[in-house]
Amino acid sequence: MTGPGKTTGPEKTTRATTTSPAAGDALPPRTLPVRREDLRRYAEASGDHNPIHLDDGAAQALGLPGVVAHGMLTSALAIGVVAEWVGGADRVLATSFRFAAPVVVPADAPALLEVAGTVKKVSEDGSSADIALVVTSGGAKVFGKAIVTVALGD
């Protein structure tokens, strides 16, 4: 099965809650393919049929190199990496993203979203942590800022 959120390798991530993460701990990096079909499915689910996400000509008319992924899809995929690492989406408390570059999705191959993260800080009581993400595609940094705050513990 392929689609957003699927890894390109067989590795499984471990839950951060099995240990007590500390500032500086790294999340296992993930590579997520994003295909044009994923954009069509997301457009249907979200109702966002902006042609820059579906048609090369429309995207190029606005100065983009081609079809680009929806920003909310891109951020959701990145958040999903953190959610899996921490033990579930219910542990995500808050997010803060600043977009820096679009994810260009070619017609003939998937765009690859590279997601890496580091624990930026853990609350004094150990109940939550801020995870700073570095997300790139095609060598470009997708987010200028990407912080996901998660709940820790049982």
Side-chain angles (χ1 to χ4, degrees):
M1 174 179 248
T2 60
K6 305 299 178 201
T7 62
T8 57
E11 72 280 348
K12 285 284 188 189
T13 57
T14 57
R15 289 179 55 179
T17 54
T18 60
T19 62
S20 297
D25 287 354
L27 278 68
R30 298 275 303 273
T31 300
L32 308 173
V34 180
R35 295 173 179 80
R36 294 264 178 115
E37 177 59 26
D38 302 323
L39 303 185
R40 284 188 289 278
R41 286 195 316 262
Y42 185 81
E44 286 301 316
S46 69
D48 182 352
H49 296 280
N50 186 325
I52 67 169
H53 305 304
L54 304 167
D55 179 80
D56 281 312
Q60 291 166 349
L62 292 175
L64 296 165
V67 165
V68 297
H70 301 76
M72 294 306 292
L73 172 60
T74 303
S75 56
L77 291 170
I79 293 165
V81 171
V82 177
E84 182 179 324
W85 178 75
V86 78
D90 60 329
R91 293 184 173 271
V92 175
L93 302 174
T95 62
S96 178
F97 287 86
R98 189 171 305 133
F99 293 92
V103 175
V104 179
V105 182
D108 58 350
L112 298 178
L113 197 64
E114 305 285 340
V115 182
T118 305
V119 177
K120 184 176 178 179
K121 71 176 183 177
V122 176
S123 63
E124 286 188 30
D125 65 1
S127 66
S128 65
D130 288 345
I131 313 299
L133 296 179
V134 175
V135 180
T136 59
S137 182
K141 198 170 180 184
V142 175
F143 301 115
K145 172 188 172 186
I147 304 292
V148 180
T149 302
V150 297
L152 301 174
D154 294 330

